[in-house]
């Protein structure tokens, strides 16, 4: 199949110009003005923006967590992703303590294979690093799983101690991978949760008050120091606050680069939502929690200063009835919320349209930097000759409102209900095929492929 996208404004991390894009098979064959080619189909993109397909590197599909499962599986989650312009997602295959890393990959393959509409990969979430599991790092990198996630919180289930962290970092550095982290001080948080519960403070607000900024700043600093000592490529997921970002800023003085991801909710929403009526605040119970308005400003500044490279989602939806597991105890509310469908449109509307970031920065943060950091560039993350034809055709003028009534997440609420957004994903191509058009999907589950990723670097 060949396709000609005509007259769109092609925007990459560095350029913006009007051109035609000629696609043959799965990849881009030519880009230029008034291309004279014989294409089997043509798409008129006049007046539209043409972006590289979005990459969300922080997604949890069908995740067993806190006594339940996140409510989007590969079929529903990848469908929602495509509707919003995300063509590749990276999920977390989570090792069960006492078992191998490979068994986590096998378990996640059962969830994903034949079910995804978009392309996907996994980070391997290492919860048990020991002499038996150490040789698996090399084997996973050979399979194209080159990033290793760690948790500094959730003791007894996911958390690794500092000895395991440093051991893993040495090995990952040796084998050419990247270590990522959920950086919050688990022991301190567990103490604060127990304290609040002991005082009978059970409302969703106490989820927030059990994870103060210092818990994230301290753990981020500790992680940065261990990464510096071991010299491993490193990445902090879902950063929320000024205190944590200051640790990164400080590290730049010794010329250390640690990559930083924030998530769209931390740029746009704040902790006042935890004071909503009744149990409403549970909709935004996630870890780390939403922060203050001053932290939002810090994160926007971090994007512009090049300290924050990626905007993800930590998409991890639960139905209200699942959230009600913690109706009388905030510590039992499943952590997470739906977001994958709206990341690209919200960042465009609130970032580019409102003048907070440039359109090139938007492409970097939604696509290019994740492709570079996670070993998929230039196959993914840009619009260039020989790259995969993963493309969003975007109407920058169309206004619409976000609602659980119209979203494609398998979830009965939206954290952004009623938000007015300017700019809409109209048509999406994934590896040369139109996958979203006229408000519908054009492919079936199973079209999405596992993407083998390459080695990591400390610089992009
Ligand atoms: N945070 C969440 O909110 N959900 C899933 C895991 C996590 O770290
Ligand atoms: Zn996390
Ligand atoms: Zn997560």
């Amino acid at each position: 199949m060949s396709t000609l996208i005509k007259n769109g404004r092609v925007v990459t991390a560095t350029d913006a110009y009007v051109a035609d894009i000629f696609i043959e098979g799965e990849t881009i064959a030519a880009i230029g003005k008034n291309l004279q080619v014989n294409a089997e189909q043509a798409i008129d993109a006049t007046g539209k923006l043409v972006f590289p397909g979005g990459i969300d590197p922080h997604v949890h599909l069908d995740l067993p967590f806190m006594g339940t499962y996140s409510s989007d599986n590969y079929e529903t989650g990848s469908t929602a992703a495509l509707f919003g312009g995300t063509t590749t997602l990276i999920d977390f295959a989570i090792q069960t303590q006492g078992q191998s890393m490979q068994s986590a990959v096998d378990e996640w393959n059962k969830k994903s294979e034949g079910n995804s509409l978009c392309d996907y990969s996994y980070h391997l979430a290492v919860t048990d690093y020991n002499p038996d599991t150490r040789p698996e790092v090399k084997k996973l990198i050979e399979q194209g799983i080159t990033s290793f996630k760690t948790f500094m919180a959730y003791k007894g289930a996911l958390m690794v101690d500092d000895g395991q962290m440093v051991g893993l970092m040495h090995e990952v550095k040796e084998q050419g991978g990247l270590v990522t982290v959920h950086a919050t001080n688990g022991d301190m948080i567990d103490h604060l949760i127990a304290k609040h519960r002991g005082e009978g403070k059970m409302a969703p607000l106490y989820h927030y008050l059990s994870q103060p900024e210092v818990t994230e700043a301290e753990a981020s600093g500790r992680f940065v120091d261990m990464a510096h000592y071991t010299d491993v490529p490193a990445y902090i997921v879902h950063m929320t606050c000024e205190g944590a970002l200051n640790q990164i800023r400080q590290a730049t003085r010794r010329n250390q680069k640690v990559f930083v991801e924030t998530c769209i909710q931390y740029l746009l929403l704040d902790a006042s939502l935890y004071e909503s009526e009744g149990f409403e605040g549970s909709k935004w119970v996630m870890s780390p929690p939403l922060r203050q308005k001053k932290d939002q400003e810090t994160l926007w500044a971090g994007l512009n200063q090049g300290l924050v490279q990626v905007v993800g989602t930590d998409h991890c939806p639960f139905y209200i009835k699942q959230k009600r597991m913690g109706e009388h105890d905030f510590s039992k509310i499943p952590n997470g919320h739906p977001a994958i469908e709206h990341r690209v449109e919200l960042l465009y509307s609130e970032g580019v349209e409102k003048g907070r970031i440039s359109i090139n920065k938007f492409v970097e943060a939604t696509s290019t930097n994740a492709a570079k950091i996670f070993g998929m560039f230039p196959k993914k993350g840009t619009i260039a000759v020989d790259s995969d034809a993963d493309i969003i055709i975007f109407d920058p003028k169309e206004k619409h409102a976000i609602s659980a009534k119209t979203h494609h997440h398998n979830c009965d609420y939206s954290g952004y209900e009623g938000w007015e957004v300017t700019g809409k994903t109209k048509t999406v191509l994934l590896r040369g095929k139109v996958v979203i058009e006229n408000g519908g999907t054009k492919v079936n589950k199973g079209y999405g492929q596992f993407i083998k990723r390459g080695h990591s670097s400390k610089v992009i």
Side-chain angles (χ1 to χ4, degrees), residues 13 35 96 143 150 180 253 284 290 299 314 336 374 376 400:
L35 289 180
T96 302
Q143 290 175 46
T150 56
T180 83
R253 298 196 171 146
W284 299 278
L290 303 174
L299 294 171
D314 201 2
F374 294 111
M376 295 186 280
H400 59 111

Side-chain angles (χ1 to χ4, degrees), residues 15 33 103 130 163 179 189 203 208 285 291 308 324 341 362 421 424 448:
D15 298 305
K33 290 256 182 220
S103 64
N130 59 53
V179 174
I189 292 167
Y208 165 63
V285 165
R291 302 285 185 199
V308 176
R324 286 204 186 282
E341 184 168 349
F362 158 84
V421 175
K424 187 153 181 56

Side-chain angles (χ1 to χ4, degrees), residues 290-345:
L290 303 174
R291 302 285 185 199
Q292 304 289 318
K293 290 220 182 303
K294 60 107 181 154
D295 297 299
Q296 297 175 1
E297 284 314 311
T298 298
L299 294 171
W300 285 111
L303 275 168
N304 281 320
Q305 292 161 349
L307 293 172
V308 176
Q309 288 78 29
V310 174
V311 177
T313 57
D314 201 2
H315 176 78
C316 190
F318 296 99
Y319 272 77
I320 294 288
K321 67 172 183 284
Q322 294 174 288
K323 292 275 182 182
R324 286 204 186 282
M325 292 164 68
E327 195 160 11
H328 304 294
D329 179 351
F330 70 87
S331 71
K332 297 193 167 53
I333 301 170
N335 287 198
H337 84 318
I340 197 168
E341 184 168 349
H342 298 122
R343 178 186 69 119
V344 169
E345 288 172 354

Side-chain angles (χ1 to χ4, degrees), residues 58 60 92 149 238 314:
H58 195 149
H60 300 282
F92 295 78
K149 165 81 178 292
H238 56 38
D314 201 2

Side-chain angles (χ1 to χ4, degrees), residues 135-150:
E136 295 196 272
V137 169
K138 182 167 190 284
K139 293 196 180 122
L140 287 161
I141 290 177
E142 284 164 3
Q143 290 175 46
I145 297 174
T146 55
S147 48
F148 296 82
K149 165 81 178 292
T150 56

Side-chain angles (χ1 to χ4, degrees), residues 224 246-258:
V224 166
N246 281 344
Q247 300 288 344
I248 302 299
R249 187 172 284 112
Q250 187 65 21
T252 62
R253 298 196 171 146
R254 59 188 178 198
N255 198 24
Q256 183 186 3
K257 185 86 183 171
V258 169

